[in-house]
Amino acid sequence: MCGIIGYTGKSDAEPVLVEGLRHLEYRGYDSAGIAVLNEDKIKIHKSTGRVDTLADICKNSPLRGCTGIGHTRWATHGRASAANSHPHTNSSKTIAVVHNGIIENHTELRQFLADNGYKFVSETDSEVIPHLLDYHIKSGGDFKESFLKTVRELKGSFAISAVCRDAGDKILSARKGSPIVIGEGEGEMFVSSDIYSISDKTDVIYVLGDNEVAEISRDCVEFSDFDGNKITKTPSEIKHNSYLEEAGGYDHYMLKEIHEQPRILKSLLSGEKTLSDIKNTPFLAERVKRTDKIYLLGCGTAYNAAMTGGIVMRYLCPVNVCAVMASEFAGGFYDVDDKTLVIAVTQSGETADTLSAMDFAAKRGAVTVAITNTQYSRADTESDFAFYTRCGREVSVASTKAYTAQLAVLYSFGVFLCNCLGGDVKRAEEVREALLKVTADVHLSLGLEEEMKTLAGHYAGCRDIYYIGRGSDFVTATEGALKMKEITYIHSEAYPMGELKHGPIALIDRDTPVIAVDCHPDLHIKTESNLREVVTRGADAVCFCPDGITHNGVRCIHLPETHWITAPFSSVVPLQLLAYYTSVAKGCDVDKPRNLAKSVTVE
Ligand code: G6P
């Protein structure tokens, strides 16, 4: 959510910043801006909308200079407008600042600055930063001293980068909560809120820790705490992993990522690589053996993965298992102590709700395990143990491959926990065997693509769609409905099939299509009667079920024959495709849906 980029070196900063912003656009895309230092001036270009618009402005009026910062925004304080977009400056435009996160005491600071004659031009919380910096410089501090004073006075979570006309090629960056990394090149340095976005520029990076400041010039970087005490940091090496990999011949990243799933699952599941990663983690078995309850946490798609993981762990482990939305966890409604295992599922590893839930659990003595796609993310570094979903960069905001990769790790972890906690060994073996078939099943499900394309034409004109299922099929229905609403803006809701008649059925008529998921062999009969209830009310119903199953008056779309426990892998695929093709049919922006961001770093 919001992206920061910075460059100081021997080349022109503008193209590096604009390219960097394209890499970061997934973090927020309602406005963008850059500031470039040119001897006696800081020059700024800003635009609402996409980075492409900013790039056009830069093409018509290039900014020259070798040091600069940039930002792509997802509006929190103040609507998406040029005035609210970053960089923000002091009145004389000698200081420019970009900021991610939220300044919680911005109202007090704004008042203090206004009382001291400062005028504000935006509605943002971020604008207090350049003015406060200006105030401290005018009170006699140099750029660095004033920056340190400023960050000490800010409350909330933030990543900040700042340049100053009078400080040469210097960029100062600070982190409290929101991530920021420094990339070191030859005679050039990069700053970014995201490792991947600079991974094609350098393979040497420093991850800024909480309450740390980086002072960057083209030839060196120094680190300190907020009081200016020096900190020694060792760089990490990263593998080249350009974020801006092409969509590989697909029309959208989402479609490419849906098609990547069999390959990713093969590498995560065959040879039980993930399971051996988990087993080889020192002390893990020892740390979890006292566990008497497990909470699985996540947001959005990651929460849906956590729900399915919860079903698997309940099937395997003799302890209480509960999936909770991360944003609901820290309110004190759940019992957490040193016998609690908390499994946080997060693709980005940065989701604020998930991180604060993890923190809440850690403070109460729980063992925390992160399942994440992002090495060095806060979820990775702040958890007791972390396992990676290794599915490569997910560019589309609507998550697909990360979801099934999260399932793969959760199932493997479930088998591991079953063994550690004295669970049902026969069931563990059953799950393990079923997992071996998952890759082939997902591949077969992709064979439904043409059928989903045709079906999508039918849904594109709908106002509401209801998804129903029971148990893990309900979770799949929930994920299908989430995909549909995220990228088509059609109101799509999932209900546990049996619950539909207790209220929501009042909404069913001939204009409300129903999509059912029915993969559990013991539940086909119940599904049949629930489907009858909606069909008799005029609904057009479609059911995703295994080959050989039929339902009266309902179009059945047949999925590969599979064990019910692993059905969530292959049954979600046609629902992903259905949402994708409905979005295409409606002419929506598939990869960057309105109002959403790929990583949400505010609570
Ligand atoms: C946002 C995204 C969702 C994602 C959720 C959790 O809401 O739009 O697609 O599922 O965050 O993200 P995480 O990175 O924690 O998995």
Side-chain angles (χ1 to χ4, degrees), residues 298-303 345-351 354 394 396-399 402 406 482-483 486 596-600:
C299 301
T301 292
Y303 169 64
V345 186
T346 166
Q347 187 281 130
S348 64
E350 282 181 29
T351 302
T354 308
E394 191 176 59
S396 161
V397 167
S399 183
Q406 285 160 353
L482 179 63
K483 290 296 86 104
E486 281 179 316
L596 300 181
K598 185 91 189 134
S599 96
V600 181

Side-chain angles (χ1 to χ4, degrees), residues 40-56:
D40 58 340
K41 277 196 179 68
I42 293 178
K43 292 221 164 153
I44 294 185
H45 281 330
K46 292 181 183 189
S47 72
T48 50
R50 301 294 160 83
V51 173
D52 276 345
T53 317
L54 178 73
D56 286 343

Side-chain angles (χ1 to χ4, degrees), residues 214-358:
E215 181 176 0
I216 304 138
S217 47
R218 68 188 56 144
D219 294 316
C220 76
V221 53
E222 285 180 4
F223 300 96
S224 72
D225 63 18
F226 282 8
D227 291 319
N229 301 308
K230 269 198 158 195
I231 293 173
T232 312
K233 267 188 181 295
T234 35
S236 308
E237 287 232 349
I238 49 163
K239 282 203 206 112
H240 173 84
N241 187 352
S242 172
Y243 158 70
L244 262 197
E245 58 191 83
E246 294 303 314
Y250 290 98
D251 288 343
H252 298 94
Y253 283 102
M254 182 175 176
L255 189 59
K256 171 183 175 251
E257 289 160 3
I258 290 172
H259 279 271
E260 282 178 291
Q261 293 177 110
R263 178 182 54 75
I264 294 160
L265 291 169
K266 187 171 180 206
S267 95
L268 284 171
L269 292 171
S270 62
E272 294 167 31
K273 189 171 178 318
T274 310
L275 193 56
S276 57
D277 274 1
I278 293 169
K279 273 186 186 153
N280 291 334
T281 304
F283 318 124
L284 178 61
E286 188 56 30
R287 285 290 300 276
V288 297
K289 74 174 189 219
R290 290 174 60 237
T291 300
D292 68 359
K293 55 194 161 316
I294 300 173
Y295 292 110
L296 294 112
L297 312 176
C299 301
T301 292
Y303 169 64
N304 293 339
M307 277 205 282
T308 302
I311 290 171
V312 175
M313 290 182 191
R314 264 196 297 279
Y315 186 65
L316 294 173
C317 302
V319 297
N320 290 322
V321 182
C322 178
V324 186
M325 284 175 192
S327 56
E328 289 289 306
F329 192 67
F333 310 115
Y334 297 91
D335 186 20
V336 184
D337 57 27
D338 61 356
K339 288 192 186 150
T340 307
L341 171 64
V342 164
I343 304 169
V345 186
T346 166
Q347 187 281 130
S348 64
E350 282 181 29
T351 302
D353 289 320
T354 308
L355 292 172
S356 78
M358 282 171 71

